[in-house]
Structures are given as structure tokens and as C-alpha cells.
Amino acid sequence: MKKKQLWLFAFILLVILVGVFYYMQYTSSAEKKELVQTVALPLGKEYIKQYYSADFILKDYVINGPYVHSTVFLYGYIKGHEGQTVSITYDYKKKEIIDVSGPGWFIDSRNPKKN
């Protein structure tokens, strides 16, 4: 009887832990979409406009949870260059653009040049 109780306790504990980790890992899709649409994307577009004099068009995004890195990766392209991917890395804890990557011609067009 004790063996059954121990297994039942272990199973319940496992279910609780999986539930807690699942909750910690995923925020609702509405919260993710709101973070991208209201914060990360406008800042990313403004950054591209300011430093590259170009218009960024969003195609997709990935949000890393805070237990990994507090980052949003915005994937898209520059208007007129639909076949070439540009990505913007945004830190949502620091509220700043960390990096921009893309084709060489695009990165070289940064003004002012990065040190």
C-alpha cells in the first residue's frame, strides 16, 4: 500500500511541476502579440528608419522567455528587397534594440557607422 501511495505522490508532484514549468515558459499568445505589435515592432521600425533610412516589413517573430534571454527576434525584409531577410533583436527587459543583421549591403548602409 505504501508503494502505491509513493507512486501516486510522485505522479502528482510531476504533474504539478510540469504545469508550473509550462506556465513559466509560455505567456498567452495575446500577450506575445501585444508585446510585438505595441513595443518591439514600432521601436525596430524606428531604429531601421533612423540608422538605415529604410522601411522594415515584419514577416515573423520569435520571443525567448526570460529564463533564457529576454529577447524578441523580428524577422522581415526591407521594402523593395523582399527576398533578403533582415532581423532585429530587441531586449524587452532593457527596452532596447540589441542587434540588426541582414545582407552586407544593408548593414554597410548604417549611418552613423557602428564602432
Side-chain angles (χ1 to χ4, degrees):
M1 193 62 148
K2 274 192 166 193
K3 197 171 191 176
K4 283 186 180 180
Q5 289 176 339
L6 182 62
W7 279 106
L8 181 62
F9 176 74
F11 177 73
I12 291 171
L13 184 62
L14 178 66
V15 168
I16 290 171
L17 286 174
V18 168
V20 167
F21 286 126
Y22 182 80
Y23 177 77
M24 286 173 42
Q25 184 175 2
Y26 297 100
T27 58
S28 76
S29 63
E31 288 174 334
K32 287 180 180 181
K33 188 173 182 175
E34 182 180 348
L35 172 66
V36 170
Q37 295 294 329
T38 62
V39 181
L41 183 57
L43 285 175
K45 283 184 167 191
E46 180 184 324
Y47 188 90
I48 296 293
K49 189 68 139 172
Q50 179 180 356
Y51 291 106
Y52 297 93
S53 299
D55 294 316
F56 178 78
I57 309 297
L58 180 69
K59 286 174 52 178
D60 197 12
Y61 63 89
V62 174
I63 300 176
N64 283 346
Y67 52 89
V68 178
H69 293 286
S70 308
T71 51
V72 175
F73 297 96
L74 303 173
Y75 300 102
Y77 58 90
I78 299 303
K79 195 175 197 177
H81 300 277
E82 289 76 11
Q84 299 180 317
T85 301
V86 171
S87 66
I88 302 170
T89 307
Y90 171 75
D91 186 322
Y92 58 86
K93 280 192 177 176
K94 294 179 183 176
K95 298 183 183 197
E96 66 183 11
I97 302 296
I98 296 173
D99 189 41
V100 173
S101 62
W105 63 265
F106 173 71
I107 298 303
D108 291 342
S109 71
R110 189 180 196 285
N111 190 13
K113 301 287 183 204
K114 239 182 179 179
N115 294 333

